[in-house]
Amino acid sequence: MNRTFVFRRHGIFGRWQQAECRGRRKEATTTYTNGDALDFGASTEGTGTVKTTTSSAPLDRNPTMNKIKLQTQQLAFQHPVTRNFDTQSHSPVHEALLRSGPRLRNLQQVHAHIIVSGLHRSRSLLTKLISLVCTAGSITYARRLFPTVPNPDSFLFDSLLKVTSKFGFSIDTVLFYRRMLFSGAPQSNYTFTSVIKACADLSALRLGKEIHSHVMVCGYGSDMYVQAALIALYAKASDMKVAKKVFDAMPQRTIIAWNSLISGYDQNGLPQESIGLFHLMMESGFQPDSATIVSLLSSCSQLGALDFGCWLHDYADGNGFDLNVVLGTSLINMYTRCGNVSKAREVFDSMKERNVVTWTAMISGYGMHGYVLSACAHSGLIDDGRRVFSSMKEAYGLVPGVEHNVCMVDMFGRAGLLNDAYQFIKKFIPKEPGPAVWTSMLGACRMHRNFDLGVKVAEHVLSVEPENPGHYVMLSNIYALAGRMDRVEMVRNMMTRRRLKKQVGYSTIEINRKTYLFSMGDKSHPQTNTIYRYLDELMCRCSESGYVPAPESLMHDLEEEERDYALRYHSEKLALAFGLLKTNQGETIRIVKNLRICEDCHSAIKHISIIADREIIVRDKFRFHHFKDGSCSCLDYW
DNA sequence: ATAGGGTTAG
């Protein structure tokens, strides 16, 4: 049977995408012949897709090997062969190997040199060659070289596992490990760090657990390197409980183990836990390094915790951490996502090296703050948008994904070009557009009060995703705006019947590096009375200056909070009142909301920015709102 | 004969 397995790693943290960035696009997809099953008798698991196609393995026609044969002949012709079996580091072949570095062209020549020198059975030279070839990005070359090595030993396997896992050829790591088991070469603690890392990159939990049992059997259960790798494995496979268990069982912890766990919490959407663990780490006498800082910056981004983020920036500066691409990009993300674009730009300008991630962070930062999209209502920019979209495919050969389609519909929708949005869906999205696209369309209908189209779209979305409470809320809002209260009631009943609950809305505000959380009608804060009294006072003054509360029909606005509560105790208003009380005149107020800001709050905060004479920045689920002197940076498009 | 590990950005 000629079956070939094609594995394609995807997901944002995928190593193979990184390989593409480094210009190793060719290797982003690798093929495996069917002799190499992935498992050890049990089935495998992973987030990647493993699909089977039928084709013959073209290994014999490998052009690289042909080239080598040719070069070997040429070399033999040009130079008289001097046989030298000396494999010390001074041998000319070995020297050449070290000199060539991870460059494929040079390595091919050295390979030829090895063969003509009769050293093709030297395990040490071949081990080094395979490692370098793999570092140069050619896994196919490495796979071809491996069978030519006589009696592969543990050292060879360890090197292979290390280099393949390091450069993202995770499946090869697993396959070579399997061969290692069959060959009888004993595993070392080095073996396991590489294999576990490969499993982590594949998010292969079951396979990882199997390896974990091998670790225990071989007696490396308390090796700190292996343990750190295991923590990262469980963290990447979203099993934080086991990750913590491994961590707790460590006889002596290392900064790497701390970092693994901290980043694990962060990447599993638990930024509070990640920061809490950091404090614990400091108390245990460990100093954060740049990896710690980077993970914590990401946690700050999630929380919108600017003060803590600034503290981390100062820490990195004060301890002479190098502002490399990773740290710089993390800082840019932290600053934009915590509401300070100009600081982000400062970091961006001071960076020595920038890559596509860095640029994307800066550009999307501007986008979130409305420096790009707020002007979308002008048709000139709509044309720009169209041009950019078509250039994606034509100039860059990129296939538009769901996110790009959503952006286009969103752009048309904001500008009120509902027809264009609809036409775009019909024309550019071949199959069923998917719920995200329709949701965007639905939002546009609501924003521009197009009831007929809105109802039609909502009903369609409901049929596609009957489990998503957001759609019901949106539909009921559209009915409410149209004054069809009977229909509103009907939709609400439908939700109750299907036992669907709306997402709970909350807002956070950071004061003196501490984050405070408010939910609607929240009375848990010790200073609740003061906060409510101050908020009442603020709202009165708003009304005096012309603020009109949103009509009753809007009380259950968007997908958030209970309508039974008065609008004035929405979480963002509570957080704002608290913030005004706790900060000094002239300080900017920053609030983060987990859902979209409601229309009533949006208009109230515009008034409050005048009354309290403050700049107020609210980050909602999608973008930033900068309130100043009675207007908002989103120009009421949101 | 042979070096060496685990953690970090969207």
Side-chain angles (χ1 to χ4, degrees), chain A residues 342-371:
Chain A
S342 49
K343 274 297 265 185
R345 182 55 192 265
E346 261 177 47
V347 173
F348 181 86
D349 288 336
S350 68
M351 285 170 73
K352 293 185 295 284
E353 187 199 340
R354 306 179 190 104
N355 62 18
V356 64
V357 186
T358 318
W359 283 92
T360 307
M362 197 63 238
I363 292 168
S364 76
Y366 278 128
M368 277 189 299
H369 285 270
Y371 290 99

Side-chain angles (χ1 to χ4, degrees), chain A residues 177-216:
Chain A
Y177 177 69
R178 186 172 151 278
R179 287 185 119 131
M180 185 177 188
L181 291 186
F182 284 132
S183 81
Q187 303 108 304
S188 71
N189 41 0
Y190 292 98
T191 314
F192 288 117
T193 51
S194 305
V195 186
I196 295 167
K197 179 180 159 46
C199 293
D201 285 343
L202 294 167
S203 291
L205 189 57
R206 259 187 74 178
L207 187 59
K209 283 187 168 164
E210 211 173 321
I211 306 287
H212 192 165
S213 71
H214 294 195
V215 167
M216 303 316 275

Side-chain angles (χ1 to χ4, degrees), chain A residues 415-429:
Chain A
L417 304 172
L418 297 180
N419 221 9
D420 294 65
Y422 197 71
Q423 288 309 312
F424 176 85
I425 294 175
K426 286 269 164 263
K427 190 174 163 201
F428 285 97
I429 310 178

Side-chain angles (χ1 to χ4, degrees), chain A residues 114-133:
Chain A
I114 289 173
I115 294 169
V116 290
S117 317
L119 294 169
H120 60 284
R121 296 188 65 80
S122 159
R123 210 159 49 197
S124 64
L125 280 177
L126 289 175
T127 302
K128 194 136 228 152
L129 180 65
I130 295 186
S131 299
L132 283 168
V133 151

Side-chain angles (χ1 to χ4, degrees), chain A residues 562-612:
Chain A
E562 298 294 331
R563 64 171 159 169
D564 315 334
Y565 283 96
L567 281 172
R568 68 167 51 175
Y569 301 127
H570 264 179
S571 63
E572 51 266 59
K573 290 198 185 96
L574 288 171
L576 176 56
F578 180 68
L580 287 170
L581 282 170
K582 289 288 169 189
T583 56
N584 299 318
Q585 193 54 250
E587 276 183 57
T588 302
I589 304 270
R590 292 188 162 81
I591 292 166
V592 176
K593 190 173 181 193
N594 66 331
L595 305 172
R596 285 178 69 180
I597 187 172
C598 95
E599 223 169 288
D600 181 73
C601 286
H602 195 263
S603 112
I605 296 174
K606 279 198 272 186
H607 284 88
I608 294 173
S609 73
I610 300 177
I611 292 164

